[in-house]
Amino acid sequence: MSIKNSTNPNEFILTKLRDAKITLSTCEVITGGMISSQLNSISWAKEVFVGGLVINDKKIIETQLKVKEKTIQDNTLVSGEVADEMAIGCSHFFNTDCAISLTDVHDGIVYVGIKIIDIVKHYKITTLSNERNAMRAEICADALIKLYSLLKDM
């Protein structure tokens, strides 16, 4: 499938990564694996998508993703700096070129971190929903749109 003909953003993401020979991993707090699930809905996702972590414990974020305790103390768990370190740590954990991370949510704010090769960016997402599952779906969609936009410009 050509990228230009893709109507499914998840398929576009995976196609773009496959064409560039870039592997992908995820680490998610608030979305609890929703991004991994959406990407795995594409039948050939395993060609690009290596794996994902769902993390709810600060110690696991520190030990497995190597997010520095000082970064958490200086910025809180819900911050762009933590999202960046989570994405970098996820990329190292899975040995992938690209990783997407999502922090927990606080007062309707969550951060997504995206690492593509040597580029690391984070984005603040403000959710409008108060219902947890609707909020998670909204955050997941927004995070995938951020990744889609970065890849579209590559």
Side-chain angles (χ1 to χ4, degrees):
M1 161 170 276
S2 139
I3 292 171
K4 291 180 182 177
N5 296 331
S6 178
T7 55
N8 179 330
N10 298 328
E11 192 164 2
F12 171 88
I13 289 167
L14 294 174
T15 300
K16 185 79 170 178
L17 292 171
R18 181 179 63 186
D19 290 351
K21 298 184 179 1
I22 294 173
T23 53
L24 173 67
S25 57
T26 64
C27 56
E28 306 174 59
V29 178
I30 184 60
T31 50
M34 290 175 80
I35 288 184
S36 297
S37 177
Q38 288 212 12
L39 294 171
N40 271 318
S41 71
I42 307 301
S43 62
W44 52 269
K46 65 183 175 186
E47 293 178 32
V48 174
F49 182 60
V50 174
L53 296 171
V54 175
I55 303 172
N56 289 310
D57 185 274
K58 177 182 155 220
K59 287 294 176 204
I60 301 298
I61 290 171
E62 292 173 349
T63 58
Q64 299 305 307
L65 298 180
K66 310 298 184 205
V67 174
K68 296 177 203 79
E69 186 177 352
K70 180 164 177 36
T71 303
I72 295 170
Q73 288 173 347
D74 291 350
N75 301 285
T76 78
L77 275 169
V78 181
S79 68
E81 293 79 8
V82 168
D84 288 345
E85 288 188 22
M86 285 175 64
I88 293 166
C90 184
S91 176
H92 290 154
F93 183 87
F94 285 104
N95 194 29
T96 57
D97 310 299
C98 178
I100 184 167
S101 69
L102 286 119
T103 67
D104 204 353
V105 64
H106 180 72
D107 290 336
I109 294 172
V110 64
Y111 286 87
V112 57
I114 300 173
K115 176 194 176 288
I116 303 174
I117 306 172
D118 293 327
I119 299 166
V120 180
K121 294 186 176 197
H122 65 261
Y123 303 91
K124 179 180 176 180
I125 296 174
T126 303
T127 181
L128 303 174
S129 180
N130 291 324
E131 196 278 316
R132 184 164 176 84
N133 286 330
M135 176 191 324
R136 292 171 61 231
E138 179 185 343
I139 291 165
C140 181
D142 284 354
L144 286 168
I145 288 168
K146 301 293 187 210
L147 180 56
Y148 176 95
S149 297
L150 276 175
L151 292 171
K152 196 172 161 188
D153 294 337
M154 280 182 64

